[in-house]
Amino acid sequence: MRLALGLVLLVAVLFVLSLLSGQAPVGAGDSLKALIAGDGTPLSVVMREIRLPRALLAAMIGAVLGQSGAAMQGYLRNPLAEPGLIGISGASALGAVLAIQTGLSLMFPLALPLAALGMAVLAVLLILALAGPRGASITLILAGIAISALAGALTSLALNLSPNPFAAADIVFWMMGSLADRSFTHVWLAAPFMAVGALLLASLGRGLDALTLGEDAAEALGIGLSGLRLRLILGTAACVGAATAVAGAIGFVGLVVPHLLRPAVGARPSALLWASALGGAAMVLAADIAVRELLPARDLKLGVLMALVGAPLFLHLIYKTRKEMA
Amino acid sequence: MSLMTLRDLTVRRGECPVVDHVSLSVSEGECIGLIGPNGAGKTTLMRAALGLLPASGESTLAALPAPERARTAAWMPQAREIAWPVTVERLIALGRIPHLPRGARLRSQDRAAVEAAIARMGLDSYRARTATQLSGGEQARVLIARALAQETPLLLADEPIAGLDPAHQIATMEVFADLAREGRSVIVSLHDLGAAARHCTRLLMMERGRLVADGPPGAVLTPGNVDRVFGVSAYYEDTAQGPVFQPLQVTR
Amino acid sequence: MWGCVRPSRIITLLAALVLTGAAAVAEAAPKRVVSVNLCTDQLALMLAAPGQIVSLSRLSHDPDSSSMAKAARAFPTNGSGAEEVYLLKPDLVLAGTFTAATTVQMLRDLGIRVELFAPARSLEDVPARLAQMGAALGREAEAEAMIATFRADLARLTTPPGRRPRAALYYVNSYTVGDRTLAGDILRVAGFDNIAAEAGLERGGTLALEQLVMLAPEVIVSGRDYPGQARAEEVLSHPALRALPGTRVAGTLTDRDWICGTPLVLTAVEKMRDLRLSLEAGE
């Protein structure tokens, strides 16, 4: 309980800090007053139309990425499993780019998250097929590399073939992720999918706990494994697909957060689900504040910061895994 | 009252029957040892009986819906997987999952069951330790405790005492025998024929997928059966401290 | 030996010498002109003599990019690559200073004259480019006339307004331009104050959406809609732009009127001036 309260408090504080972070040089009190007042002044427009959706998206995206990382790790019983690393974010980005390039998202706005979700489902299915139930780290990472590489190549191809001169530069956004200039349009587009995905993943708690004992024992404990797998696939795809569709591929959240919080929840997969959601929200909020405060003049992409934190941790985890296997 | 009945249970891998038309019935109060050489189909039989494998024929246990089956029979697989560094107490508490309503925390009856399991397996000093840091034998005892905490009428265990030291082997077999005396039933697959002879009330001997002998240890462990199925000669005697069985020489 | 050569022979020789010399002088007017840059395409179309132009760049046919697309369609296009251009056997190639340096160098190495035109950075550059093109094509007289017309039209469109409304030029990827650019100059002449100056931007640069909203200009002139889609264009339709009560999003920064330093920029000046007048009328 103390952990839950602590994390909720952390998220709340970071949320407020995110609202106060940005280009406009105004004091905290005035900013918050303008947010509440909504009186049509420029500051109020900045707060309500630019900063509020950005903070909301950061929290939502962080939460679902953290949760889906914890879910994948729980199912595959492997601490290296993470939607970004195993190619699900990359595939989602491909889906989103295809929806935009074909003009589908203009005709039918929901096509954007749906296309991302569809590609994410494909990617999850591929990973589960390649890595298998006894997904050893090696097989898992290799499968992830393959899927990431393929998705990235196809995304670059689609953008390069576009008649639009700016499409090729978009690749940076899709590969690295960014929350700059997101609006409530994006919030409403992604929220329903994220909500459904989060609920599906939350229902996995008991099954993931039982999986601690292995698949056989879990099934004998009354857990329906195929139903579990289906909810995992759909839940992860919905969460990661929607998040990537509006903010590009943001990696490492699902790796770092569960890893940091696992000791705090006694390594219980079910507890790790909600803890990683809160932790993920905090992490992305913090990173988004950092990209605006550290280098305000340049548009530092969110994914860069995530990679700077996450990649060394990933290397450390690989090293640890290697030592255990030796 | 029969806890589990198998009728002509058959599992095929391709053409070959790994379990070949096995029929048996398990009632309350039995401590059953499932014995047979490597590859006889012991593990496959138990998994098929539980419905974890597709099989033809009938198994009353497999026919139950999953939640009810989980409250009827507890299963301890041979692969002693512990995926995450949880505490011993938490691991044992996983056995209560079939009894917990969705999303519920442990109730007093669940805690009582966990305590009983810990006491039975002598794990009181291990409660707070990380399960993944224990030795193989200690982990085996923890996993048995988990199966005990499930408090089911029937317990199936695949080689639960493999890798345990002599004291703990005997203690664990006595736990199973006690369970039988209390009215529950246990089916354990064993390679240690001596332990099977001493602690089990009934033995099931398998050879190449078929059930070739079913009865009390004395009736099953005849020199003829032991020679034909295991390819060894053995010393068997009913002593004052109970039956003693010791394989002596390879006959094949 | 003078006695052996007949006088008629000498006259023929002398005549040949004079004519060759004259031809050498008249060689200044190129006969096969290839243009590989959108702006030089249009300048050439305006000033060239019939038959001078052999090929124009592909963009000249695109009605979104080129104001003279219809006129340009009479000519074949090239992909601005050195090989293609060389095979057209030009005696003059018109390029921009931002045309790939390797292409320009290769053409020069192959012995072809390449004339480079810098992009216009203000309305004053238009007469300069016209003069440069006139000199290159040997059509100085036509250039002079065009410059005079341009100055007259510009003067006509430039009337000091009562009040200078604040405006912003906002392109894809949050890009804006200041006073020291052609687009900025168009805005200034039409009677607006460019808020890029308030943000400290003289030439081009990124103006974050938040800053744009805080500066709250009266008019946001937004970048054009390119074919195909790019996520980079999303900022132009951000709800925040429409949430400011005193701001309207109006006008489009079309490529064809705003980019090249030709007299056709006056179309843009006129549109902007009309926009300002409608703002004043609306008040």
Side-chain angles (χ1 to χ4, degrees):
Chain A
M1 246 323 104
R2 276 197 355 248
L3 177 70
L5 281 175
L7 286 174
V8 169
L9 200 63
L10 182 64
V11 172
V13 166
L14 286 170
F15 188 81
V16 172
L17 284 177
S18 174
L19 287 174
L20 299 174
S21 172
Q23 302 265 1
V26 190
D30 293 326
S31 304
L32 291 173
K33 268 187 257 165
L35 174 68
I36 301 170
D39 48 14
T41 57
L43 183 60
S44 159
V45 171
V46 164
M47 293 303 291
R48 285 189 165 200
E49 299 291 337
I50 302 178
R51 292 203 193 165
L52 184 60
R54 181 169 182 157
L56 281 173
L57 270 180
M60 283 160 53
I61 288 174
V64 297
L65 288 181
Q67 193 191 28
S68 46
M72 288 236 90
Q73 288 177 24
Y75 183 79
L76 292 170
R77 275 106 71 211
N78 190 322
L80 294 174
E82 195 266 321
L85 277 179
I86 57 181
I88 301 177
S89 302
S92 306
L94 175 62
V97 165
L98 287 176
I100 292 180
Q101 295 304 310
T102 54
L104 214 62
S105 60
L106 273 189
M107 287 190 289
F108 173 48
L110 279 177
L112 181 64
L114 281 174
L117 193 153
M119 292 302 291
V121 168
L122 272 177
V124 180
L125 285 172
L126 259 175
I127 277 286
L128 291 180
L130 287 170
R134 299 291 171 97
S137 294
I138 297 290
T139 330
L140 185 67
I141 296 301
L142 284 177
I145 291 175
I147 295 175
S148 281
L150 184 62
L154 290 174
T155 308
S156 306
L157 180 67
L159 290 173
N160 260 306
L161 290 177
S162 168
N164 191 305
F166 297 98
D170 268 355
I171 190 88
V172 179
F173 167 81
W174 291 110
M175 294 288 138
M176 298 256 75
S178 169
L179 284 168
D181 299 339
R182 307 284 88 190
S183 66
F184 266 108
T185 321
H186 300 105
V187 175
W188 299 133
L189 211 56
F193 294 93
M194 289 195 199
V196 169
L199 281 173
L200 280 173
L201 291 179
S203 73
L204 297 177
R206 172 186 284 215
L208 294 181
D209 275 349
L211 274 173
T212 310
L213 300 166
E215 293 207 339
D216 238 23
E219 200 165 352
L221 280 169
I223 307 294
L225 286 183
S226 41
L228 192 83
R229 186 166 47 239
L230 187 66
R231 275 176 289 149
L232 175 77
I233 291 172
L234 292 178
T236 306
C239 284
V240 178
T244 311
V246 296
I250 298 176
F252 293 109
V253 179
L255 184 73
V256 174
V257 174
H259 178 75
L260 289 176
L261 291 175
R262 189 165 283 122
V265 295
R268 259 180 316 146
S270 57
L272 200 57
L273 282 177
W274 59 256
S276 299
L278 289 172
M283 182 175 176
V284 175
L285 277 168
D288 196 38
I289 293 169
V291 301
R292 277 176 291 177
E293 298 301 320
L294 286 178
L295 285 174
R298 300 183 161 282
D299 181 19
L300 190 64
K301 293 278 179 285
L302 203 57
V304 172
L305 219 60
M306 293 300 176
L308 284 175
V309 172
L313 177 71
F314 180 40
L315 291 170
H316 164 75
L317 279 176
I318 291 184
Y319 180 66
K320 241 178 54 169
T321 315
R322 213 188 75 170
K323 275 208 317 191
E324 276 165 22
M325 291 208 281
Chain B
M1 193 196 80
S2 168
L3 293 175
M4 178 180 90
T5 305
L6 303 178
R7 235 190 296 274
D8 282 328
L9 195 65
T10 307
V11 179
R12 283 186 203 279
R13 191 171 297 144
E15 278 300 310
C16 184
V18 182
V19 171
D20 200 351
H21 293 89
V22 170
S23 299
L24 57 96
S25 182
V26 176
S27 31
E28 294 175 342
E30 300 200 66
C31 180
I32 302 175
L34 182 58
I35 56 177
N38 290 345
K42 306 189 290 295
T43 304
T44 315
L45 175 66
M46 288 196 281
R47 293 185 72 217
L50 280 163
L52 300 175
L53 279 180
S56 55
E58 220 185 283
S59 162
T60 54
L61 200 55
L64 292 173
E68 199 186 325
R69 183 191 66 205
R71 287 192 286 272
T72 310
W75 167 234
M76 183 190 159
Q78 189 174 9
R80 295 169 189 167
E81 274 189 67
I82 302 177
W84 304 109
V86 288
T87 58
V88 164
E89 192 166 349
R90 241 194 211 129
L91 194 70
I92 296 173
L94 287 177
R96 300 303 301 167
I97 283 178
H99 300 279
L100 289 175
R102 198 161 250 305
R105 314 181 127 266
L106 293 176
R107 305 154 297 178
S108 54
Q109 67 253 49
D110 302 312
R111 276 185 230 282
V114 172
E115 288 305 314
I118 291 177
R120 254 204 155 115
M121 295 303 296
L123 293 168
D124 197 45
S125 56
Y126 288 83
R127 266 174 209 273
R129 291 186 54 185
T130 308
T132 45
Q133 286 168 356
L134 300 177
S135 74
E138 291 166 334
Q139 287 184 345
R141 287 164 54 210
V142 170
L143 290 172
I144 294 169
R146 185 278 298 172
L148 291 178
Q150 214 168 325
E151 289 193 334
T152 48
L154 186 58
L155 174 68
L156 291 97
D158 198 351
E159 309 219 17
I161 62 172
L164 295 184
D165 61 49
H168 288 116
Q169 280 196 341
I170 295 171
T172 305
M173 288 309 294
E174 285 189 345
V175 168
F176 293 147
D178 284 339
L179 284 176
R181 279 190 278 273
E182 288 163 18
R184 291 155 72 171
S185 284
V186 183
I187 305 177
V188 287
S189 79
L190 296 170
H191 276 302
D192 187 339
L193 300 175
R198 285 179 67 69
H199 301 280
C200 296
T201 59
R202 175 179 165 192
L203 292 184
L204 299 169
M205 185 184 278
M206 285 189 75
E207 187 197 8
R208 279 196 271 262
R210 263 184 260 113
L211 188 64
V212 296
D214 180 356
V220 169
L221 290 172
T222 61
N225 280 348
V226 169
D227 176 43
R228 197 185 74 239
V229 174
F230 288 95
V232 294
S233 65
Y235 170 83
Y236 185 100
E237 194 178 316
D238 275 304
T239 68
Q241 282 108 8
V244 171
F245 181 96
Q246 176 61 46
L248 293 173
Q249 272 184 328
V250 178
T251 57
R252 275 202 278 255
Chain C
M1 307 295 107
W2 277 101
C4 306
V5 181
R6 290 194 350 240
S8 57
R9 269 279 163 107
I10 296 170
I11 293 170
T12 319
L13 275 168
L14 277 170
L17 264 167
V18 169
L19 281 169
T20 321
V25 169
E27 209 225 341
K31 294 202 196 56
R32 293 182 65 79
V33 176
V34 171
S35 168
V36 298
N37 169 282
L38 175 65
C39 301
T40 55
D41 289 342
Q42 297 180 84
L43 285 170
L45 278 171
M46 283 176 203
L47 289 176
Q52 255 188 319
I53 298 179
V54 164
S55 171
L56 302 168
S57 81
R58 246 175 232 145
L59 277 176
S60 66
H61 281 204
D62 174 19
D64 284 323
S65 309
S66 163
S67 310
M68 306 187 64
K70 241 172 59 176
R73 289 223 190 88
F75 299 92
T77 60
N78 65 75
S80 308
E83 183 180 328
E84 198 180 345
V85 170
Y86 178 72
L87 290 172
L88 291 168
K89 299 197 234 300
D91 48 16
L92 170 65
V93 171
L94 303 169
T97 48
F98 283 101
T99 303
T102 42
T103 310
V104 171
Q105 190 55 48
M106 171 149 289
L107 288 168
R108 284 186 172 150
D109 288 343
L110 291 167
I112 300 174
R113 177 177 158 216
V114 180
E115 187 81 20
L116 294 178
F117 290 74
R121 295 222 191 275
S122 69
L123 291 169
E124 261 314 295
D125 284 345
V126 175
R129 301 292 175 270
L130 285 170
Q132 187 187 358
M133 182 60 76
L137 294 175
R139 304 269 286 174
E140 287 86 344
E142 287 78 5
E144 285 290 330
M146 207 162 270
I147 291 172
T149 319
F150 173 75
R151 288 207 201 278
D153 287 336
L154 182 60
R156 190 173 41 84
L157 285 171
T158 315
T159 41
R163 180 181 81 73
R164 298 182 69 85
R166 291 163 68 244
L169 296 168
Y170 213 51
Y171 295 85
V172 169
N173 270 329
S174 303
Y175 195 71
T176 192
V177 290
D179 287 330
R180 300 243 238 126
T181 61
L182 180 63
D185 211 21
I186 292 172
L187 203 65
R188 181 188 61 82
V189 163
F192 289 97
D193 264 345
N194 193 340
I195 61 157
E198 292 169 46
L201 290 167
E202 278 190 332
R203 294 195 195 281
T206 324
L207 184 68
L209 188 65
E210 268 194 23
Q211 274 182 304
L212 176 65
V213 170
M214 286 305 287
L215 287 169
E218 290 168 69
V219 179
I220 299 176
V221 187
S222 69
R224 64 165 248 206
D225 193 15
Y226 286 86
Q229 320 298 329
R231 187 221 54 94
E233 294 178 338
E234 274 181 12
V235 73
L236 297 176
S237 48
H238 197 284
L241 293 181
R242 281 156 191 86
L244 284 166
T247 304
R248 61 186 254 199
V249 181
T252 330
L253 295 159
T254 57
D255 275 354
R256 62 175 176 271
D257 294 332
W258 288 74
I259 290 192
C260 284
T262 70
L264 296 164
V265 296
L266 293 177
T267 323
V269 176
E270 190 168 354
K271 287 212 186 93
M272 286 292 109
R273 186 206 58 177
D274 292 342
L275 177 64
R276 174 178 56 79
L277 291 173
S278 76
L279 277 180
E280 285 172 4
E283 284 162 4

